[in-house]
Amino acid sequence: CRRVLDTDPERRILVRWSVQSNGERTVQVKIISVDKTGLLAEVTQLFTDAGINIEQAHCVATTPNRAVNTFHVSVKNATQLKGVIKRIQTVSGVLSVKRSHA
């Protein structure tokens, strides 16, 4: 936000996501894909292989041959999240994958 720099400097605090943190955080990952058999199983296996727990999943077939898959997952740090997103992007039929803020 460009306006944040206009605020009183006395009221600002520095915030960052530590890559050395031992705590897990819940984040939302949104995947747009082709609606095809086995794709959901392949994606969930990638989360499992990365040691990421799926807390919640919402998967819906939308327009013909498309699906929106939203996962709430527990991650240890940004590196773990970026790694699994990169692997999900290589799955045949995945059109886009990103961390979502809802």
XYZ file of all heavy atoms in Angstrom:
791
model
N 0.848 -1.179 0.000
C 0.000 0.000 0.000
C 0.889 1.236 0.000
O 1.742 1.392 0.891
C -0.909 -0.026 1.225
S -1.936 1.436 1.388
N 0.684 2.076 -0.944
C 1.525 3.276 -1.060
C 1.261 4.255 0.081
O 2.135 5.000 0.480
C 1.266 3.970 -2.387
C 1.656 3.148 -3.580
C 1.176 3.812 -4.863
N 1.226 2.865 -5.940
C 1.933 3.037 -7.040
N 2.604 4.116 -7.215
N 1.933 2.117 -7.968
N 0.057 4.243 0.620
C -0.314 5.197 1.665
C 0.323 4.866 3.008
O 0.379 5.709 3.883
C -1.830 5.245 1.786
C -2.463 5.773 0.495
C -3.940 5.850 0.584
N -4.303 6.853 1.578
C -5.506 6.961 2.091
N -6.458 6.133 1.726
N -5.775 7.891 2.981
N 0.808 3.637 3.162
C 1.399 3.261 4.438
C 2.614 4.129 4.765
O 2.885 4.418 5.925
C 1.747 1.761 4.488
C 2.984 1.448 3.664
C 1.923 1.312 5.918
N 3.328 4.559 3.757
C 4.507 5.394 3.988
C 4.130 6.795 4.456
O 4.974 7.520 4.981
C 5.377 5.453 2.734
C 5.985 4.107 2.326
C 6.773 4.245 1.030
C 6.861 3.548 3.428
N 2.857 7.178 4.276
C 2.393 8.486 4.725
C 2.002 8.477 6.202
O 1.710 9.516 6.764
C 1.185 8.941 3.893
C 1.552 9.165 2.428
O 2.729 9.470 2.141
O 0.650 9.037 1.582
N 1.983 7.316 6.824
C 1.600 7.229 8.235
C 2.729 7.711 9.131
O 3.889 7.821 8.720
C 1.221 5.790 8.624
O 2.358 4.956 8.444
C 0.057 5.271 7.803
N 2.384 7.936 10.363
C 3.332 8.383 11.371
C 4.399 7.306 11.585
O 4.081 6.177 11.943
C 2.566 8.642 12.665
C 3.469 9.126 13.790
O 4.676 9.326 13.569
O 2.938 9.305 14.903
N 5.674 7.625 11.391
C 6.744 6.633 11.560
C 6.778 6.018 12.960
O 7.200 4.886 13.126
C 8.034 7.419 11.288
C 7.618 8.624 10.533
C 6.206 8.913 10.937
N 6.301 6.735 13.959
C 6.265 6.219 15.327
C 5.280 5.058 15.468
O 5.386 4.257 16.379
C 5.865 7.340 16.300
C 6.862 8.461 16.365
C 8.057 8.107 17.225
O 7.899 7.368 18.199
O 9.156 8.583 16.898
N 4.322 4.959 14.563
C 3.288 3.930 14.652
C 3.594 2.712 13.793
O 2.847 1.746 13.792
C 1.942 4.516 14.246
C 1.534 5.657 15.170
C 0.174 6.104 14.889
N -0.706 4.966 15.125
C -1.997 5.036 15.246
N -2.584 6.173 15.173
N -2.723 3.955 15.426
N 4.675 2.730 13.052
C 5.038 1.615 12.183
C 5.774 0.536 12.963
O 6.536 0.830 13.877
C 5.945 2.073 11.041
C 5.296 3.021 10.094
C 6.244 3.359 8.964
N 5.866 4.639 8.386
C 6.673 5.405 7.694
N 7.924 5.029 7.470
N 6.252 6.538 7.211
N 5.546 -0.717 12.547
C 6.320 -1.830 13.093
C 6.794 -2.694 11.932
O 6.095 -2.824 10.918
C 5.509 -2.676 14.099
C 4.243 -3.235 13.461
C 5.178 -1.888 15.338
C 3.534 -4.247 14.327
N 7.965 -3.239 12.071
C 8.532 -4.107 11.049
C 7.992 -5.515 11.262
O 8.056 -6.053 12.364
C 10.061 -4.115 11.127
C 10.781 -5.013 10.132
C 10.512 -4.558 8.706
C 12.270 -5.012 10.409
N 7.440 -6.091 10.212
C 6.887 -7.435 10.281
C 7.459 -8.243 9.131
O 7.519 -7.776 8.006
C 5.344 -7.400 10.162
C 4.767 -8.796 10.209
C 4.748 -6.531 11.242
N 7.886 -9.482 9.443
C 8.331 -10.376 8.372
C 8.098 -11.813 8.793
O 7.990 -12.126 9.971
C 9.765 -10.105 7.957
C 10.856 -10.488 8.879
C 12.209 -10.157 8.269
N 12.528 -8.769 8.535
C 13.695 -8.341 8.921
N 14.684 -9.157 9.093
N 13.910 -7.088 9.141
N 8.015 -12.702 7.796
C 7.776 -14.121 8.034
C 9.133 -14.789 8.124
O 9.857 -14.908 7.137
C 6.953 -14.700 6.898
C 6.460 -16.091 7.112
C 6.657 -16.893 8.184
C 5.666 -16.852 6.216
N 6.036 -18.092 8.025
C 5.424 -18.106 6.808
C 5.138 -16.611 4.958
C 4.681 -19.103 6.205
C 4.396 -17.596 4.348
C 4.167 -18.833 4.966
N 9.502 -15.202 9.294
C 10.807 -15.799 9.518
C 10.893 -17.173 8.865
O 10.046 -18.028 9.080
C 11.081 -15.946 11.014
O 12.282 -16.648 11.215
N 11.934 -17.401 8.091
C 12.137 -18.714 7.479
C 12.676 -19.717 8.489
O 12.715 -20.902 8.231
C 13.076 -18.644 6.244
C 12.439 -17.843 5.130
C 14.428 -18.072 6.609
N 13.063 -19.244 9.678
C 13.588 -20.126 10.711
C 12.547 -20.474 11.769
O 12.836 -21.165 12.725
C 14.798 -19.488 11.377
C 15.933 -19.271 10.403
C 17.082 -18.536 11.034
O 16.998 -18.025 12.139
N 18.198 -18.460 10.317
N 11.335 -20.014 11.599
C 10.284 -20.255 12.579
C 9.931 -21.739 12.658
O 9.891 -22.441 11.658
C 9.032 -19.465 12.181
O 7.960 -19.803 13.021
N 9.666 -22.236 13.870
C 9.267 -23.618 14.064
C 7.752 -23.786 14.042
O 7.255 -24.892 13.985
C 9.826 -24.146 15.390
C 11.331 -24.269 15.347
O 11.897 -24.478 14.284
N 11.969 -24.113 16.485
N 7.011 -22.678 14.121
C 5.558 -22.740 14.131
C 4.996 -22.904 12.729
O 5.595 -22.474 11.753
N 3.859 -23.548 12.639
C 3.206 -23.698 11.342
C 2.126 -22.641 11.204
O 1.553 -22.185 12.191
C 2.612 -25.098 11.208
C 3.671 -26.162 11.101
C 3.119 -27.523 10.710
O 1.887 -27.708 10.699
O 3.931 -28.408 10.427
N 1.859 -22.278 9.961
C 0.830 -21.294 9.649
C -0.133 -21.897 8.637
O 0.275 -22.643 7.763
C 1.460 -20.038 9.048
C 2.303 -19.275 10.035
C 3.128 -18.209 9.311
N 3.878 -17.393 10.234
C 4.999 -17.741 10.821
N 5.505 -18.929 10.619
N 5.630 -16.921 11.644
N -1.390 -21.531 8.779
C -2.378 -21.969 7.805
C -2.449 -20.944 6.690
O -2.601 -19.745 6.944
C -3.764 -22.132 8.464
O -3.664 -23.102 9.496
C -4.797 -22.584 7.451
N -2.311 -21.415 5.467
C -2.426 -20.554 4.292
C -3.412 -21.197 3.321
O -3.699 -22.389 3.399
C -1.061 -20.322 3.592
C -0.096 -19.605 4.513
C -0.474 -21.608 3.092
N -3.907 -20.390 2.415
C -4.848 -20.873 1.416
C -4.157 -20.932 0.058
O -3.488 -19.987 -0.341
C -6.055 -19.930 1.354
C -7.131 -20.372 0.398
C -8.362 -19.495 0.526
O -8.958 -19.416 1.583
N -8.735 -18.837 -0.555
N -4.316 -22.051 -0.618
C -3.752 -22.236 -1.954
C -4.909 -22.496 -2.908
O -5.738 -23.378 -2.664
C -2.757 -23.419 -1.985
C -2.242 -23.650 -3.398
C -1.601 -23.173 -1.022
N -4.964 -21.723 -3.990
C -6.041 -21.861 -4.977
C -5.462 -22.395 -6.289
O -4.505 -21.833 -6.818
C -6.718 -20.513 -5.207
C -7.908 -20.572 -6.138
C -8.584 -19.216 -6.208
C -9.798 -19.260 -7.086
N -10.440 -17.927 -7.139
N -6.076 -23.471 -6.763
C -5.612 -24.116 -7.983
C -6.756 -24.125 -8.997
O -7.842 -24.628 -8.712
C -5.157 -25.562 -7.709
C -4.035 -25.573 -6.668
C -4.736 -26.257 -9.004
C -3.723 -26.944 -6.108
N -6.493 -23.586 -10.174
C -7.429 -23.670 -11.290
C -6.890 -24.757 -12.203
O -5.709 -24.747 -12.559
C -7.526 -22.337 -12.077
C -7.791 -21.152 -11.146
C -8.567 -22.440 -13.190
C -9.118 -21.167 -10.450
N -7.765 -25.691 -12.582
C -7.279 -26.828 -13.370
C -8.328 -27.304 -14.346
O -9.497 -26.910 -14.292
C -6.904 -27.988 -12.437
O -8.068 -28.504 -11.817
N -7.881 -28.195 -15.204
C -8.788 -28.967 -16.038
C -9.493 -29.947 -15.104
O -8.887 -30.437 -14.151
C -7.980 -29.714 -17.134
C -8.857 -30.678 -17.896
C -7.288 -28.720 -18.046
N -10.766 -30.202 -15.337
C -11.510 -31.162 -14.518
C -11.273 -32.546 -15.104
O -11.907 -32.929 -16.083
C -12.999 -30.801 -14.527
C -13.821 -31.696 -13.634
O -13.249 -32.324 -12.725
O -15.044 -31.774 -13.847
N -10.308 -33.272 -14.510
C -9.990 -34.599 -15.033
C -9.735 -35.595 -13.910
O -9.296 -35.220 -12.811
C -8.798 -34.550 -15.991
C -7.460 -34.321 -15.350
C -6.334 -34.426 -16.373
C -4.998 -34.537 -15.670
N -3.931 -34.855 -16.559
N -9.996 -36.830 -14.183
C -9.819 -37.907 -13.210
C -8.362 -38.010 -12.773
O -7.453 -38.002 -13.601
C -10.273 -39.245 -13.831
O -11.621 -39.114 -14.244
C -10.134 -40.383 -12.842
N -8.158 -38.090 -11.458
C -6.825 -38.305 -10.912
C -6.058 -37.054 -10.577
O -5.056 -37.117 -9.855
N -6.475 -35.898 -11.086
C -5.721 -34.676 -10.842
C -5.742 -34.314 -9.359
O -4.708 -33.986 -8.777
C -6.280 -33.513 -11.669
C -5.408 -32.262 -11.610
C -5.178 -31.720 -13.001
C -6.019 -31.208 -10.726
N -6.888 -34.404 -8.722
C -6.984 -34.094 -7.297
C -6.089 -35.021 -6.477
O -5.393 -34.580 -5.569
C -8.435 -34.190 -6.833
C -8.700 -33.864 -5.372
C -8.240 -32.465 -5.028
C -10.183 -34.048 -5.063
N -6.082 -36.288 -6.811
C -5.229 -37.253 -6.098
C -3.752 -36.899 -6.263
O -2.970 -36.983 -5.306
C -5.497 -38.666 -6.608
N -3.370 -36.497 -7.450
C -1.971 -36.137 -7.703
C -1.565 -34.893 -6.910
O -0.479 -34.851 -6.318
C -1.764 -35.908 -9.204
C -0.326 -35.829 -9.617
C -0.131 -35.814 -11.128
O -1.075 -36.106 -11.884
O 1.002 -35.496 -11.532
N -2.446 -33.907 -6.875
C -2.147 -32.674 -6.141
C -2.062 -32.944 -4.645
O -1.125 -32.497 -3.976
C -3.204 -31.582 -6.448
C -3.088 -30.416 -5.478
C -3.057 -31.101 -7.888
N -3.012 -33.693 -4.099
C -2.974 -33.964 -2.658
C -1.743 -34.791 -2.287
O -1.181 -34.618 -1.206
C -4.267 -34.644 -2.161
O -4.488 -35.847 -2.882
C -5.460 -33.715 -2.326
N -1.289 -35.662 -3.182
C -0.075 -36.435 -2.915
C 1.148 -35.517 -2.841
O 2.057 -35.746 -2.044
C 0.128 -37.518 -3.983
C 1.286 -38.449 -3.684
C 1.109 -39.222 -2.382
O 0.066 -39.839 -2.169
N 2.107 -39.181 -1.513
N 1.172 -34.462 -3.650
C 2.291 -33.520 -3.595
C 2.332 -32.800 -2.248
O 3.410 -32.569 -1.693
C 2.206 -32.516 -4.750
C 2.511 -33.095 -6.122
C 2.242 -32.065 -7.212
C 3.945 -33.584 -6.198
N 1.163 -32.434 -1.716
C 1.131 -31.845 -0.375
C 1.689 -32.843 0.645
O 2.505 -32.491 1.490
C -0.294 -31.446 0.028
C -0.789 -30.170 -0.613
C -1.945 -30.171 -1.372
C -0.131 -28.962 -0.426
C -2.430 -28.999 -1.947
C -0.596 -27.784 -1.001
C -1.752 -27.806 -1.762
N 1.248 -34.092 0.545
C 1.712 -35.133 1.468
C 3.218 -35.324 1.363
O 3.923 -35.376 2.378
C 0.995 -36.467 1.172
O -0.407 -36.287 1.361
C 1.486 -37.580 2.076
N 3.732 -35.419 0.142
C 5.174 -35.611 -0.071
C 6.001 -34.466 0.501
O 7.143 -34.665 0.923
C 5.477 -35.763 -1.566
C 4.904 -37.039 -2.165
O 4.495 -37.944 -1.399
O 4.842 -37.127 -3.416
N 5.415 -33.254 0.517
C 6.119 -32.080 1.041
C 5.970 -31.956 2.559
O 6.509 -31.023 3.163
C 5.595 -30.817 0.363
N 5.235 -32.886 3.177
C 5.036 -32.835 4.622
C 4.040 -31.769 5.045
O 4.103 -31.258 6.155
N 3.121 -31.441 4.149
C 2.135 -30.393 4.402
C 0.779 -31.030 4.672
O 0.292 -31.834 3.868
C 2.047 -29.428 3.194
C 3.379 -28.701 3.022
C 0.887 -28.461 3.356
C 3.471 -27.849 1.785
N 0.173 -30.654 5.791
C -1.138 -31.164 6.147
C -2.237 -30.322 5.508
O -2.201 -29.095 5.568
C -1.321 -31.144 7.675
C -2.631 -31.759 8.092
O -2.980 -32.848 7.642
N -3.363 -31.074 8.946
N -3.207 -30.983 4.888
C -4.372 -30.301 4.334
C -5.407 -30.220 5.444
O -5.901 -31.243 5.920
C -4.944 -31.047 3.115
C -3.897 -31.128 2.011
C -6.216 -30.366 2.622
C -4.283 -32.054 0.860
N -5.738 -29.018 5.867
C -6.734 -28.823 6.919
C -8.147 -28.776 6.354
O -9.092 -29.187 7.012
C -6.446 -27.532 7.685
C -5.134 -27.581 8.448
C -4.850 -26.299 9.194
O -5.656 -25.345 9.125
O -3.804 -26.242 9.863
N -8.257 -28.248 5.149
C -9.572 -28.108 4.522
C -9.382 -28.074 3.011
O -8.403 -27.526 2.510
C -10.225 -26.814 4.998
C -11.604 -26.565 4.460
C -12.179 -25.239 4.981
O -11.479 -24.394 5.499
N -13.470 -25.075 4.832
N -10.339 -28.669 2.286
C -10.305 -28.632 0.825
C -11.711 -28.355 0.312
O -12.691 -28.876 0.843
C -9.799 -29.952 0.257
N -11.781 -27.524 -0.706
C -13.054 -27.231 -1.356
C -12.799 -27.314 -2.857
O -12.081 -26.491 -3.418
C -13.550 -25.835 -0.964
C -14.895 -25.515 -1.494
N -15.097 -24.655 -2.539
C -16.119 -25.972 -1.134
C -16.387 -24.585 -2.788
N -17.029 -25.372 -1.957
N -13.386 -28.327 -3.482
C -13.125 -28.586 -4.895
C -14.451 -28.558 -5.659
O -15.382 -29.275 -5.284
C -12.445 -29.934 -5.064
S -10.930 -30.065 -4.075
N -14.507 -27.738 -6.697
C -15.745 -27.566 -7.439
C -15.450 -27.564 -8.932
O -14.559 -26.853 -9.401
C -16.418 -26.215 -7.060
C -17.688 -25.999 -7.851
C -16.681 -26.127 -5.579
N -16.223 -28.359 -9.677
C -16.180 -28.283 -11.139
C -16.970 -27.043 -11.522
O -18.092 -26.848 -11.054
C -16.777 -29.530 -11.755
N -16.391 -26.188 -12.334
C -17.054 -24.929 -12.702
C -17.570 -25.025 -14.124
O -18.450 -25.829 -14.388
C -16.097 -23.738 -12.513
O -14.911 -23.954 -13.289
C -15.713 -23.563 -11.056
N -16.992 -24.275 -15.022
C -17.400 -24.326 -16.426
C -17.024 -25.689 -16.991
O -16.225 -26.413 -16.383
C -16.705 -23.213 -17.231
O -15.293 -23.395 -17.142
C -17.081 -21.842 -16.721
N -17.558 -26.044 -18.121
C -17.188 -27.351 -18.686
C -15.673 -27.544 -18.736
O -14.939 -26.679 -19.203
C -17.780 -27.299 -20.095
C -18.918 -26.343 -19.986
C -18.484 -25.314 -18.957
N -15.252 -28.655 -18.146
C -13.859 -29.082 -18.167
C -12.910 -28.218 -17.335
O -11.712 -28.221 -17.558
C -13.347 -29.187 -19.619
C -12.168 -30.121 -19.726
O -12.068 -31.098 -18.997
N -11.245 -29.811 -20.618
N -13.437 -27.469 -16.352
C -12.597 -26.670 -15.456
C -12.975 -26.959 -14.014
O -14.102 -27.301 -13.704
C -12.779 -25.164 -15.704
C -12.263 -24.680 -17.039
C -10.738 -24.608 -17.031
N -10.219 -24.029 -18.243
C -9.842 -24.726 -19.302
N -9.957 -26.031 -19.320
N -9.360 -24.129 -20.363
N -12.013 -26.777 -13.103
C -12.264 -26.958 -11.671
C -11.494 -25.909 -10.881
O -10.425 -25.464 -11.298
C -11.841 -28.352 -11.229
N -12.073 -25.525 -9.759
C -11.408 -24.635 -8.809
C -11.231 -25.430 -7.526
O -12.195 -25.945 -6.960
C -12.240 -23.362 -8.539
C -11.544 -22.499 -7.493
C -12.473 -22.579 -9.823
N -9.984 -25.557 -7.096
C -9.629 -26.334 -5.915
C -8.959 -25.398 -4.915
O -7.907 -24.835 -5.204
C -8.658 -27.462 -6.288
C -9.204 -28.309 -7.421
O -10.108 -29.093 -7.213
N -8.668 -28.131 -8.623
N -9.587 -25.237 -3.757
C -9.046 -24.359 -2.731
C -8.673 -25.197 -1.517
O -9.507 -25.944 -0.998
C -10.077 -23.286 -2.343
O -10.517 -22.607 -3.525
C -9.482 -22.286 -1.378
N -7.435 -25.071 -1.094
C -6.917 -25.846 0.034
C -6.455 -24.909 1.136
O -5.785 -23.907 0.872
C -5.712 -26.691 -0.399
C -6.019 -27.720 -1.431
C -5.900 -27.440 -2.785
C -6.439 -28.992 -1.056
C -6.186 -28.395 -3.743
C -6.721 -29.958 -2.005
C -6.593 -29.659 -3.353
N -6.792 -25.238 2.379
C -6.213 -24.581 3.549
C -5.193 -25.581 4.076
O -5.553 -26.703 4.444
C -7.285 -24.285 4.595
C -8.258 -23.247 4.153
N -8.278 -21.971 4.651
C -9.247 -23.292 3.226
C -9.227 -21.289 4.063
N -9.834 -22.070 3.198
N -3.929 -25.172 4.066
C -2.851 -26.086 4.427
C -1.960 -25.477 5.499
O -1.850 -24.255 5.612
C -1.998 -26.462 3.187
C -2.825 -27.219 2.160
C -1.373 -25.234 2.544
N -1.331 -26.345 6.297
C -0.381 -25.904 7.334
C 1.023 -26.002 6.778
O 1.463 -27.085 6.393
C -0.483 -26.803 8.566
O -1.728 -26.664 9.168
N 1.717 -24.866 6.746
C 3.097 -24.855 6.250
C 4.035 -24.331 7.325
O 3.643 -23.548 8.183
C 3.243 -24.017 4.958
C 2.450 -24.627 3.822
C 2.846 -22.576 5.179
N 5.278 -24.793 7.257
C 6.288 -24.392 8.235
C 6.880 -23.025 7.912
O 7.231 -22.267 8.803
C 7.393 -25.430 8.298
C 6.917 -26.759 8.832
C 7.995 -27.803 8.784
C 7.412 -29.132 9.220
N 8.251 -30.257 8.880
N 7.040 -22.748 6.619
C 7.655 -21.495 6.214
C 7.382 -21.221 4.742
O 6.805 -22.046 4.038
C 9.164 -21.522 6.491
C 9.840 -22.729 5.875
O 9.638 -23.049 4.709
N 10.649 -23.415 6.670
N 7.818 -20.055 4.293
C 7.587 -19.636 2.914
C 8.309 -20.544 1.921
O 7.799 -20.802 0.828
C 8.034 -18.190 2.725
N 9.465 -21.054 2.288
C 10.219 -21.936 1.389
C 9.445 -23.216 1.106
O 9.368 -23.664 -0.037
C 11.597 -22.260 2.003
O 12.298 -21.036 2.249
C 12.412 -23.151 1.092
N 8.858 -23.794 2.150
C 8.061 -25.014 1.972
C 6.861 -24.736 1.067
O 6.561 -25.518 0.163
C 7.594 -25.537 3.332
C 6.845 -26.849 3.246
C 6.292 -27.301 4.590
O 5.837 -26.479 5.392
N 6.328 -28.598 4.820
N 6.181 -23.617 1.278
C 5.023 -23.256 0.461
C 5.419 -23.039 -0.998
O 4.789 -23.577 -1.908
C 4.354 -22.007 1.023
C 3.152 -21.491 0.233
C 2.037 -22.524 0.193
C 2.667 -20.174 0.829
N 6.471 -22.285 -1.225
C 6.922 -22.020 -2.595
C 7.318 -23.305 -3.303
O 7.049 -23.484 -4.497
C 8.098 -21.048 -2.597
C 7.714 -19.635 -2.241
C 8.946 -18.739 -2.157
C 8.587 -17.370 -1.624
N 9.756 -16.508 -1.455
N 7.956 -24.227 -2.585
C 8.373 -25.497 -3.184
C 7.193 -26.329 -3.653
O 7.202 -26.865 -4.761
N 6.158 -26.443 -2.821
C 5.006 -27.257 -3.221
C 4.231 -26.579 -4.340
O 3.734 -27.247 -5.249
C 4.102 -27.621 -2.017
C 3.230 -26.457 -1.573
C 3.241 -28.832 -2.347
N 4.138 -25.255 -4.315
C 3.464 -24.545 -5.411
C 4.189 -24.807 -6.729
O 3.566 -25.072 -7.758
C 3.349 -23.037 -5.108
C 2.270 -22.807 -4.037
C 3.044 -22.234 -6.372
C 2.150 -21.375 -3.557
N 5.507 -24.769 -6.684
C 6.307 -25.022 -7.897
C 6.045 -26.431 -8.444
O 5.901 -26.629 -9.644
C 7.786 -24.818 -7.583
C 8.678 -24.779 -8.785
C 10.089 -24.387 -8.378
C 10.943 -24.181 -9.608
N 12.282 -23.699 -9.260
N 5.961 -27.429 -7.542
C 5.694 -28.804 -7.986
C 4.275 -28.963 -8.518
O 4.049 -29.673 -9.497
C 5.972 -29.779 -6.840
C 7.473 -29.947 -6.594
C 7.798 -31.038 -5.606
N 7.366 -30.761 -4.247
C 8.051 -30.015 -3.370
N 9.200 -29.464 -3.714
N 7.590 -29.831 -2.151
N 3.313 -28.298 -7.888
C 1.923 -28.380 -8.364
C 1.799 -27.785 -9.761
O 1.048 -28.287 -10.596
C 0.957 -27.703 -7.370
C 0.901 -28.500 -6.054
C -0.435 -27.562 -7.970
C 0.176 -27.781 -4.925
N 2.552 -26.742 -10.051
C 2.506 -26.105 -11.370
C 2.923 -27.054 -12.487
O 2.563 -26.852 -13.635
C 3.397 -24.858 -11.395
C 2.843 -23.717 -10.586
C 3.832 -22.564 -10.428
O 5.052 -22.745 -10.471
N 3.301 -21.375 -10.226
N 3.667 -28.104 -12.157
C 4.128 -29.041 -13.183
C 3.119 -30.153 -13.474
O 3.326 -30.927 -14.405
C 5.465 -29.695 -12.766
O 5.259 -30.532 -11.634
C 6.528 -28.646 -12.471
N 2.047 -30.237 -12.687
C 1.049 -31.293 -12.879
C 0.271 -31.026 -14.159
O -0.227 -29.913 -14.381
C 0.085 -31.375 -11.670
C -1.049 -32.352 -11.938
C 0.847 -31.767 -10.411
N 0.163 -32.042 -14.999
C -0.586 -31.917 -16.243
C -2.043 -31.605 -15.939
O -2.688 -32.307 -15.165
C -0.492 -33.228 -17.040
O -1.294 -33.164 -18.189
N -2.536 -30.525 -16.504
C -3.921 -30.113 -16.299
C -4.065 -28.940 -15.351
O -5.116 -28.310 -15.296
N -3.012 -28.617 -14.602
C -3.058 -27.450 -13.718
C -2.824 -26.203 -14.567
O -1.835 -26.100 -15.278
C -2.015 -27.548 -12.586
C -1.887 -26.219 -11.846
C -2.394 -28.654 -11.617
N -3.769 -25.271 -14.484
C -3.677 -24.042 -15.274
C -3.042 -22.903 -14.482
O -2.317 -22.091 -15.026
C -5.069 -23.635 -15.759
C -5.811 -24.722 -16.552
C -7.234 -24.298 -16.832
C -5.059 -25.047 -17.835
N -3.349 -22.831 -13.186
C -2.712 -21.835 -12.333
C -2.769 -22.309 -10.880
O -3.670 -23.044 -10.483
C -3.406 -20.466 -12.456
O -4.690 -20.490 -11.873
N -1.786 -21.868 -10.123
C -1.740 -22.179 -8.685
C -1.091 -20.986 -7.991
O -0.094 -20.459 -8.451
C -0.978 -23.491 -8.380
C 0.423 -23.474 -8.936
C -0.968 -23.783 -6.907
N -1.724 -20.548 -6.896
C -1.180 -19.401 -6.174
C -1.677 -19.402 -4.737
O -2.700 -20.028 -4.420
C -1.558 -18.100 -6.835
C -3.048 -17.821 -6.846
C -3.375 -16.527 -7.528
C -4.888 -16.320 -7.536
N -5.250 -15.063 -8.116
N -0.930 -18.728 -3.903
C -1.403 -18.496 -2.543
C -2.527 -17.479 -2.655
O -2.401 -16.480 -3.343
C -0.283 -17.958 -1.672
C -0.774 -17.685 -0.268
C 0.323 -17.245 0.633
N -0.232 -16.976 1.957
C 0.465 -16.473 2.935
N 1.752 -16.201 2.766
N -0.098 -16.248 4.104
N -3.605 -17.751 -1.997
C -4.780 -16.900 -2.070
C -5.054 -16.297 -0.711
O -4.808 -16.919 0.314
C -5.966 -17.749 -2.529
O -7.142 -16.973 -2.562
N -5.576 -15.102 -0.696
C -5.917 -14.420 0.556
C -7.418 -14.175 0.551
O -7.901 -13.362 -0.209
C -5.180 -13.103 0.692
C -3.699 -13.255 0.591
N -2.927 -13.648 1.657
C -2.843 -13.123 -0.445
C -1.675 -13.720 1.293
N -1.583 -13.404 0.024
N -8.130 -14.947 1.369
C -9.583 -14.774 1.403
C -10.071 -14.609 2.811
O -9.447 -14.867 3.765
C -10.271 -15.974 0.779
